[in-house]
Amino acid sequence: MHEVMKIEGGHLLEGEVKISGAKNATVALIPAAVLANGPVTIVGIPQIADVKALADILRILKVEVIEVANDHIIIDPSHMENVDLDDDIVTKLRASYYFMGALLGKYGYVRMKMPGGCYLGPRPIDLHLKGFEALGAKVTYEKACYTIQAKKLKGAKIFLDIASVGATINIMMASVYAEGRTTIENAAKEPEIIDVATLLNKMGARIRGAGTNVITIDGVKSLSGCFHEIIPDRIEAGTFIIIAAAMAKRMVINNIIPQHLDALLSKLKEMGVNMEVGVDKVVIERSENLKSVDITTRPYPGFATDLQQPLTALLTQAEGEGKITETIYIERFKHCIELAKMGADIELMQAAAIIKGPTPLYGTKVSATDLRCGAAMIVAGLLAEGVTSIDNVYHIDRGYSEIDKKLSALGAKIWRENVD
Ligand code: EPU
């Protein structure tokens, strides 16, 4: 028996939804908290499987994790031990790699298994490791485990060949206690990086320039506990905005930072979506006459690769030909094969796809091959005639906080079943 998510499509949605704290900030903030020498309180934690896995890793490290409320945890590393992370749990998610930077930064030593996560084509971590080496660490890999150690970490100038989110955050964490100044050039500029730098600075770190392409970190001797509230999840927000553009009679999406969604909102405007953008919310009514657009994924502030997949589902309803070009993960197109099973007309090319619309979609058996493919299947399922059955739901649960509950409250017919 395994669990599937089922959606009966064709029902218009109406009401308000509140966006949760950002998954891709949370999964870095939790490991970053171990750099403190006292309790760190984090508010706005999304209810996702990745958080549970990270909390389990914290417990392996003898870090106290107190779940105060649904979205509110206290992480107390006062009595932590730098235990080898050779447990399989590390391979369940990508973000376990943030323990590399955090433990190296704190102890000068870390041994852990290779991180896992969604398969989106090759996802190397060479830039993370080169960054650690530049700070004076030695990296070895044997029996599926990395050992990274340094007698002393010393600040360095690091140029990233690619503006990697993970490498930028990991190097920030590894260098907060390093002697002297670290400079990261061609740093990634995603809002989640600013959120992690804000947490570390509240703990007493001296990080400047987060959100620009040059970040400097001046090493400090000690970090203390603090209180932090996570920024809203721009990808969850974008997913609900796309869902609203597809199916909303009228939907209010609350707790967003519209600036973080500029690239998506301007593309949707170009498509002819009816929307009104407020200070921290957006109101959307579906429009009958959507026009196709072309998008190219880029690092922030460009169009997010994570939203490319749910947007593909919406493009099946737009008039004309829309081309999606991937520049971040060139193999991130498995959702197109699933959408085609539902009736979409999509031509796959090298690192690109052309979607011809509008085409009606029909409910059938599909798979959430990765997290954001799961989001695309939900958009398509809501649009489709009949019932869509989505397999591999655990991918969706890794990154979307109570998505079926939120959609049900808006009037969607969505439920889970155990099937053979
Ligand atoms: N890259 C390298 N070497 C490295 C690191 C990255 O070649 O050492 C390449 C990657 O292969 C990719 C590009 O650089 O082509 C950008 O990767 P990046 O490191 O920025 O991605 P990431 O940190 O692994 C995060 C998010 C992803 C999101 C990407 C891009 C987390 C945990 N994951 O991944 O989120 O797609 O940034 O914005 O923050 C998701 O939420 O579904 C998801 C996959």
Side-chain angles (χ1 to χ4, degrees), residues 23-24 97 124-127 164-166 306 328-329 332 372:
K23 164 194 169 259
N24 287 345
Y97 60 30
I125 55 166
D126 56 310
L127 299 172
S164 152
V165 176
D306 298 338
I328 314 282
Y329 295 113
R332 200 173 199 172
R372 308 301 172 187

Side-chain angles (χ1 to χ4, degrees), residues 68-115:
V68 182
N70 262 354
D71 73 337
H72 182 167
I73 60 168
I74 300 173
I75 297 170
D76 187 356
S78 303
H79 306 290
M80 77 179 280
E81 290 170 25
N82 191 12
V83 178
D84 287 353
L85 294 177
D86 47 15
D87 195 286
D88 277 344
I89 189 136
V90 173
T91 62
K92 272 198 184 166
L93 74 167
R94 184 93 192 138
S96 48
Y97 60 30
Y98 288 130
F99 281 104
M100 286 182 175
L103 295 174
L104 177 67
K106 184 156 181 159
Y107 297 103
Y109 175 89
V110 54
R111 184 172 155 78
M112 67 175 276
K113 275 202 167 160
M114 182 73 190

Side-chain angles (χ1 to χ4, degrees), residues 35 101-108 131-137 150-158 170-184 200 204-207 216-223:
L35 284 157
L103 295 174
L104 177 67
K106 184 156 181 159
Y107 297 103
F132 300 148
E133 283 171 343
L135 295 170
K151 280 206 183 76
K152 188 174 194 166
L153 291 166
K154 274 187 115 173
K157 206 174 209 183
I158 297 163
N170 240 338
I171 294 167
M172 259 172 20
M173 297 207 274
S175 59
V176 279
Y177 283 124
E179 187 186 292
R181 173 169 288 192
T182 299
T183 308
I184 310 173
L200 293 169
R206 291 175 58 203
I207 302 172
T216 58
I217 303 111
D218 287 307
V220 295
K221 293 252 174 323
S222 152
L223 295 173

Side-chain angles (χ1 to χ4, degrees), residues 29 33 36 38-45 68-69 71-75 195-204 224-231:
L29 293 167
V40 175
T41 302
I42 307 181
V43 173
I45 301 271
V68 182
D71 73 337
H72 182 167
I73 60 168
I74 300 173
I75 297 170
D195 209 29
V196 178
T198 304
L199 173 88
L200 293 169
N201 283 342
K202 284 181 189 168
M203 283 161 41
S224 53
C226 68
F227 174 91
H228 185 75
E229 185 166 357
I230 305 167
I231 55 168

